[in-house]
Amino acid sequence: MEQGRPKPDLIIFDCDGVLVDSELLSCRCLSEVLAEFGIALSQEQALELFLGRSTKAIEQHYRDLGQIVPDGFLPRLKSQVLTTFAASLQPIPGIAGVISDLSVPFCVASSSDMDRVALSLDVTGLRAHFGERIYTAQMVRHGKPAPDLFLLAAEKMGAKPARTLVIEDSVSGVKAAKAAGMTVWGFVGGGHYRSREGEAILSGAGADRVFARMSDFWEA
């Protein structure tokens, strides 16, 4: 037991907004790069539409609207995000202490591509904690909110979904974890929730618990 909570067999951490405080930075990049290609999207709209989603989801969204995102968009967005992260990205306060103290296996499962996750963990000093235990949406056909990525991570880590705990900050991530048959805790301590009702948003999506500080990770 960890302060009254039974230990899971595996903990899966989302990366953006859970390990690193990246969501406002990435949404700003998305808004700026779309503007370069003549598509208007505010940072607030980017949060509402694409929080926790992959770049495939961005392309599909505009395709469904009859707008084709130009070929150069994704490389330009990736370049802008990596440059911005290298200069400004910070870890979520307290996360290093949480993962250092864990006595159960853990890994990362992110909608971002491997280059972005690796840079995020490197820049914030978290990479050594995870080694090669990093799984991304590139590895599955369907990204979040489909359960595929979390199921893959559990399979690779040798854990049963029912004994797996997911830490997520997005509606799509919470829904993906629940669809996978996993317990999911919503985390609302990232900068993108300062002006949003994070607890209501993630509880409404099905989170089993919502918390705002990593220092409260095992608290009831």
Side-chain angles (χ1 to χ4, degrees), residues 56-165:
K56 284 183 183 177
I58 298 171
E59 288 190 305
Q60 187 61 51
H61 171 79
Y62 286 105
R63 194 176 296 121
D64 291 343
L65 294 176
Q67 292 180 271
I68 305 301
V69 177
D71 289 341
F73 167 71
L74 288 182
R76 176 73 186 96
L77 177 61
K78 181 175 180 177
S79 174
Q80 181 82 342
V81 167
L82 294 182
T83 299
T84 300
F85 280 17
S88 305
L89 188 63
Q90 297 293 320
I92 291 291
I95 187 59
V98 168
I99 57 182
S100 294
D101 290 342
L102 288 178
S103 57
V104 298
F106 59 92
C107 64
V108 180
S110 172
S111 293
S112 297
D113 64 35
M114 184 62 76
D115 288 347
R116 173 168 156 174
V117 176
L119 177 70
S120 296
L121 298 179
D122 284 338
V123 165
T124 55
L126 300 175
R127 179 63 182 268
H129 294 287
F130 291 94
E132 301 304 311
R133 303 186 311 279
I134 300 172
Y135 307 98
T136 74
Q138 293 168 303
M139 300 175 180
V140 293
R141 174 170 289 189
H142 302 291
K144 305 171 189 179
D148 304 30
L149 180 57
F150 289 138
L151 292 173
L152 173 70
E155 178 186 357
K156 295 291 188 182
M157 295 292 294
K160 295 179 179 178
R163 295 285 303 160
T164 297
L165 169 64

Side-chain angles (χ1 to χ4, degrees), residues 15-92:
C15 184
D16 296 292
V18 172
L19 299 177
V20 300
D21 201 359
S22 58
E23 298 289 18
L24 287 179
L25 293 176
S26 57
C27 286
R28 187 184 77 202
C29 289
L30 176 58
S31 177
E32 291 173 351
V33 173
L34 281 172
E36 293 177 12
F37 288 88
I39 299 174
L41 184 78
S42 69
Q43 183 171 301
E44 292 73 23
Q45 290 171 319
L47 275 171
E48 290 297 326
L49 289 171
F50 303 121
L51 181 65
R53 307 293 302 280
S54 67
T55 51
K56 284 183 183 177
I58 298 171
E59 288 190 305
Q60 187 61 51
H61 171 79
Y62 286 105
R63 194 176 296 121
D64 291 343
L65 294 176
Q67 292 180 271
I68 305 301
V69 177
D71 289 341
F73 167 71
L74 288 182
R76 176 73 186 96
L77 177 61
K78 181 175 180 177
S79 174
Q80 181 82 342
V81 167
L82 294 182
T83 299
T84 300
F85 280 17
S88 305
L89 188 63
Q90 297 293 320
I92 291 291

